[in-house]
Amino acid sequence: MTTPLLKIEQLSKRFGGLQAVADLSYEVAEREILGIIGPNGAGKTTAVNLVSGVIEPSSGRVFLDGRDVTGQKPHVLVESGLVRTFQATTVFAGSTVRENLRRGAFRLLYPGFLATLFDTPKAREARARTVAHVDEVMHWLGLERFADHVASSLPYGIQKVLGMGIGLAARPRIILLDEPVAGLSAEETDHVRDTIRLVRERGIAVVVIDHNMRFITDLCDRVLVMAQGRELAQGAPRDVLANTAVIEAYLGKRYAKAQR
Ligand SMILES: Nc1ncnc2c1ncn2[C@@H]1O[C@H](COP(=O)(O)OP(=O)(O)O)[C@@H](O)[C@H]1O
Ligand SMILES: [Mg+2]
């Protein structure tokens, strides 16, 4: 058995009287796409917040590459190779696409304050690497033609892809995407889906949240269904889809229909 890239063990989070996440366990292998699906309020975002260090779990553990990283802050986790995007679009609205991506790459390649101040060879080399890396990310996300456009002037779908790009610029080993297609047209959704496939082809594992059953089952190797903070089902898309009774009972007929 190889060590999973990400392993969540019995993770729980309580907000006052509300059990937002309860005893959640899952694993993500390298290059795997895991989908998390469930109705509003199921605890999907909280689960991602717990894993990415935005909030601390009430109990349970998070392992990255076999190392216990429970409770570590987001910027520390980024350096360990785990990044996440937020449900709302998070781009630097007044900056160009190129500048946005550069900010994503910055932390990893930043050579230190003094090196930058005195423009040492190390700082120049880091800058050249940043530029090359940003160009590469722009290329594989198809953002080159927007390189010098201000983020706020871009269509919403492109802003969503840019939000992913900022995360990818930090060279993660795993990226967690919270509703990357919320509010997008069918065409934009297809583009994001194809982009996520490309991300995986680059050797990066993906955890993707959505409430659209078709989108998730099309894209993912494995699916985790959540309801009221708990796991309802977990497995290959085919097996989860076959679990009609569960889906109907907990997610409503709408979800049961979406599979047909
Ligand atoms: N910071 C918070 N404080 C209190 N309750 C919260 C907080 N964040 C989320 N919740 C509650 O936890 C539950 C799960 O929310 P969330 O994880 O956002 O669900 P989802 O992303 O699946 O829609 C909801 O009932 C929500 O209101
Ligand atoms: Mg959410």
Side-chain angles (χ1 to χ4, degrees), residues 15 18 20 38-47 87 178-179 209:
F15 293 115
L18 178 84
N40 268 336
K44 306 181 298 295
T45 294
T46 303
Q87 199 162 335
D178 194 356
E179 301 209 13
I209 293 179

Side-chain angles (χ1 to χ4, degrees), residues 105-124:
F106 188 62
R107 177 176 294 287
L108 203 78
L109 300 170
Y110 185 58
F113 174 69
L114 287 176
T116 307
L117 185 65
F118 294 109
D119 200 25
T120 62
K122 200 172 147 202
R124 281 195 294 273

Side-chain angles (χ1 to χ4, degrees), residues 155-224:
Y156 189 58
I158 303 295
Q159 290 190 33
K160 287 289 236 188
V161 171
L162 177 58
M164 264 167 67
I166 295 169
L168 293 168
R171 292 181 191 269
R173 302 175 62 200
I174 181 164
I175 186 164
L176 283 62
L177 306 168
D178 194 356
E179 301 209 13
V181 297
L184 300 190
S185 68
E187 208 175 304
E188 289 172 323
T189 298
D190 288 350
H191 176 59
V192 170
R193 187 198 56 214
D194 294 345
T195 305
I196 294 172
R197 288 192 175 127
L198 269 177
V199 168
R200 180 252 287 283
E201 277 169 32
R202 295 274 165 151
I204 300 167
V206 181
V207 175
V208 53
I209 293 179
D210 202 68
H211 43 240
N212 181 327
M213 187 63 97
R214 162 109 359 109
F215 175 75
I216 286 293
T217 52
D218 259 14
L219 179 61
C220 299
D221 303 310
R222 265 182 329 108
V223 179
L224 165 66

Side-chain angles (χ1 to χ4, degrees), residues 6 26 47-49 51-52 82-86 174-178 205-209:
L6 178 67
Y26 65 80
V48 165
N49 286 342
V51 172
S52 59
L82 183 143
V83 305
R84 63 84 57 88
T85 64
F86 289 85
I174 181 164
I175 186 164
L176 283 62
L177 306 168
D178 194 356
V206 181
V207 175
V208 53
I209 293 179

Side-chain angles (χ1 to χ4, degrees), residues 4-249:
L5 181 54
L6 178 67
K7 181 175 176 168
I8 307 315
E9 222 171 65
Q10 302 253 285
L11 213 55
S12 297
K13 180 67 184 183
R14 188 168 259 292
F15 293 115
L18 178 84
Q19 189 74 51
V21 171
D23 285 331
L24 196 69
S25 298
Y26 65 80
E27 293 181 4
V28 185
E30 289 201 47
R31 289 174 173 266
E32 187 173 36
I33 306 181
L34 173 74
I36 302 182
I37 189 164
N40 268 336
K44 306 181 298 295
T45 294
T46 303
V48 165
N49 286 342
L50 292 170
V51 172
S52 59
V54 175
I55 53 176
E56 278 195 45
S58 307
S59 62
R61 313 234 60 94
V62 179
F63 298 90
L64 193 58
D65 227 4
R67 207 160 49 86
D68 190 340
V69 296
T70 315
Q72 286 195 359
K73 296 286 173 236
H75 67 274
V76 177
L77 291 169
V78 169
E79 272 154 32
S80 302
L82 183 143
V83 305
R84 63 84 57 88
T85 64
F86 289 85
Q87 199 162 335
T89 318
T90 39
V91 298
F92 304 100
S95 302
T96 65
V97 166
R98 197 190 297 280
E99 287 160 356
N100 265 274
L101 295 175
R102 209 174 281 170
R103 291 198 203 195
F106 188 62
R107 177 176 294 287
L108 203 78
L109 300 170
Y110 185 58
F113 174 69
L114 287 176
T116 307
L117 185 65
F118 294 109
D119 200 25
T120 62
K122 200 172 147 202
R124 281 195 294 273
E125 190 215 327
R127 202 158 49 231
R129 265 189 296 146
T130 308
V131 168
H133 182 54
V134 162
D135 284 350
E136 192 191 336
V137 171
M138 269 198 298
H139 178 68
W140 61 275
L141 295 185
L143 290 171
E144 284 154 317
R145 63 201 160 109
F146 304 112
D148 299 312
H149 292 220
V150 172
S152 61
S153 73
L154 298 171
Y156 189 58
I158 303 295
Q159 290 190 33
K160 287 289 236 188
V161 171
L162 177 58
M164 264 167 67
I166 295 169
L168 293 168
R171 292 181 191 269
R173 302 175 62 200
I174 181 164
I175 186 164
L176 283 62
L177 306 168
D178 194 356
E179 301 209 13
V181 297
L184 300 190
S185 68
E187 208 175 304
E188 289 172 323
T189 298
D190 288 350
H191 176 59
V192 170
R193 187 198 56 214
D194 294 345
T195 305
I196 294 172
R197 288 192 175 127
L198 269 177
V199 168
R200 180 252 287 283
E201 277 169 32
R202 295 274 165 151
I204 300 167
V206 181
V207 175
V208 53
I209 293 179
D210 202 68
H211 43 240
N212 181 327
M213 187 63 97
R214 162 109 359 109
F215 175 75
I216 286 293
T217 52
D218 259 14
L219 179 61
C220 299
D221 303 310
R222 265 182 329 108
V223 179
L224 165 66
V225 187
M226 285 183 74
Q228 294 173 349
R230 296 182 179 277
E231 173 187 324
L232 208 62
Q234 187 170 176
R238 198 183 323 119
D239 300 335
V240 169
L241 282 177
N243 207 337
T244 312
V246 173
I247 291 165
E248 254 185 33

